[in-house]
Amino acid sequence: MQHQSSDRLLLIEKVLILKSLSIFSETPENILADLAPLMQEEEYEQDSLVFPEGEIGDCMYIIHQGKVRIHKNNTILAVLGEKEVFGELSLLDAETRSASATCATDCTLFRIDQEPFYELIDSRPEIARGFIKILCQRLRAQNEKSVQSNN
């Protein structure tokens, strides 16, 4: 009986992790409870490559613990920390990765794969709405940057 309650607690913990992400902050908890079981926990050692630039991506990652460097060759584009997400475009569109991801420290990551995510979107369109909103915000911010750099 003890084992079952620890599984349930883990589901609640995963829901809270999802809720803390900007992508899902406005998604109701009962919907996140359907997404939480798709989160596959993975451990990486410092300097491990999560994925190389140019690889076809079909999953996104959530950083639970540690820091991840996003880089092209030796140029660091970003260093991401706990509760940040990377590779999320691959959930919607299986294209090649635009940059590499390497663990800057020992990391615990949650992976969400595209196929089960698509199946979930069919029954839970609210999850897709959260994604679309974040992507629109990023696009607007990118447009702002390019307008400012042209002035």
Side-chain angles (χ1 to χ4, degrees):
M1 206 58 189
Q2 185 63 39
H3 180 67
Q4 192 176 14
S5 65
S6 69
D7 283 350
R8 191 166 295 140
L9 183 67
L10 197 58
L11 179 69
I12 291 166
E13 286 170 345
K14 286 180 175 182
V15 168
L16 292 174
I17 290 165
L18 289 169
K19 190 72 179 169
S20 72
L21 305 174
S22 55
I23 293 179
F24 300 123
S25 61
E26 294 178 28
T27 307
E29 281 84 351
N30 63 316
I31 293 168
L32 295 179
D34 290 343
L35 180 59
L38 304 185
M39 297 165 66
Q40 304 294 316
E41 191 171 329
E42 297 184 343
E43 302 282 331
Y44 289 86
E45 291 182 2
Q46 183 173 348
D47 297 323
S48 298
L49 185 67
V50 182
F51 56 73
E53 178 182 352
E55 177 183 87
I56 296 283
D58 63 354
C59 62
M60 80 167 211
Y61 293 89
I62 299 161
I63 303 171
H64 184 51
Q65 290 176 319
K67 293 191 182 311
V68 173
R69 278 190 307 271
I70 307 299
H71 58 96
K72 281 180 168 280
N73 299 322
N74 295 326
T75 305
I76 295 175
L77 305 175
V79 178
L80 305 176
E82 290 174 17
K83 295 191 168 64
E84 290 195 272
V85 170
F86 62 98
E88 67 279 15
L89 287 178
S90 294
L91 269 192
L92 303 176
D93 186 18
E95 286 293 314
T96 57
R97 302 281 190 189
S98 59
S100 299
T102 303
C103 294
T105 63
D106 289 354
C107 289
T108 303
L109 306 177
F110 288 111
R111 190 185 82 237
I112 298 178
D113 292 322
Q114 185 186 61
E115 199 55 45
F117 184 76
Y118 270 173
E119 288 168 17
L120 184 59
I121 283 178
D122 285 344
S123 60
R124 295 294 202 182
E126 300 90 331
I127 289 176
R129 279 189 210 127
F131 253 84
I132 291 165
K133 191 171 177 179
I134 291 295
L135 295 176
C136 289
Q137 287 170 358
R138 286 191 184 176
L139 199 53
R140 279 194 199 97
Q142 200 62 46
N143 289 344
E144 275 302 305
K145 274 186 199 163
S146 64
V147 166
Q148 288 168 357
S149 65
N150 289 336
N151 289 343

